[in-house]
Amino acid sequence: MTTFIGTFGIGHLRHRCYQPIQADTAELAAQHMADRHGYDWSTIYPLEEYKSLQDLGHFKGHQPLPTLGVETAFTDIVQQFFDRRYSEIMTSRSPFISKQERLQILQQDICSAYREKPAERPHALLRDIELQLC
């Protein structure tokens, strides 16, 4: 398996995130991106190329999404990732996308990440999001 990184363009809802993907080929990585994000993404890079672009100053401050293409062990780290995103949404402003839209994206990401294991979803966080969306 090779690690690829999927990116999102400036106009996309997840433009400040990147998507790690484990796949045998770039075509399979693109299929994982299409399965997860539809066509709301920009480019797939091999990990080393993505790191080179980061070294040149691209993708500054972008946050990783949970890895696609592998069975992810949902640990405290994954929970902390979603908690951190929630806190950032609640305490920051974006000129590109409303707080409500960012909360809806987070809600979708949580449900999608835990699709195979709904009993392990961070229900308290989902309740907090639902309260904010009311």
Side-chain angles (χ1 to χ4, degrees), residues 12-95:
H12 293 136
L13 297 175
R14 294 175 180 87
H15 74 277
R16 299 293 291 163
C17 298
Y18 64 90
Q19 179 67 72
I21 310 158
Q22 292 290 314
D24 291 326
T25 65
E27 291 79 18
L28 288 174
Q31 183 60 51
H32 283 303
M33 283 293 280
D35 290 347
R36 172 63 185 90
H37 301 288
Y39 294 100
D40 191 23
W41 55 276
S42 179
T43 308
I44 303 283
Y45 297 99
L47 179 60
E48 294 308 315
E49 184 178 350
Y50 181 81
K51 286 181 178 180
S52 295
L53 290 169
Q54 279 184 314
D55 291 342
L56 294 172
H58 297 283
F59 309 114
K60 280 191 173 185
H62 288 199
Q63 298 294 313
L65 296 169
T67 302
L68 296 178
V70 295
E71 180 63 31
T72 306
F74 293 102
T75 64
D76 290 339
I77 294 170
V78 175
Q79 176 69 42
Q80 290 170 7
F81 166 76
F82 286 125
D83 287 343
R84 185 176 66 245
R85 276 185 59 196
Y86 177 76
S87 293
E88 288 171 359
I89 290 168
M90 297 308 294
T91 59
S92 67
R93 293 184 179 201
S94 169

Side-chain angles (χ1 to χ4, degrees), residues 1 36 54 68-69 80 101 117 121 126-127 130:
M1 287 269 187
R36 172 63 185 90
Q54 279 184 314
L68 296 178
Q80 290 170 7
E101 289 173 301
K117 300 177 181 183
R121 284 183 187 159
L126 286 172
R127 277 193 304 276
E130 288 168 4

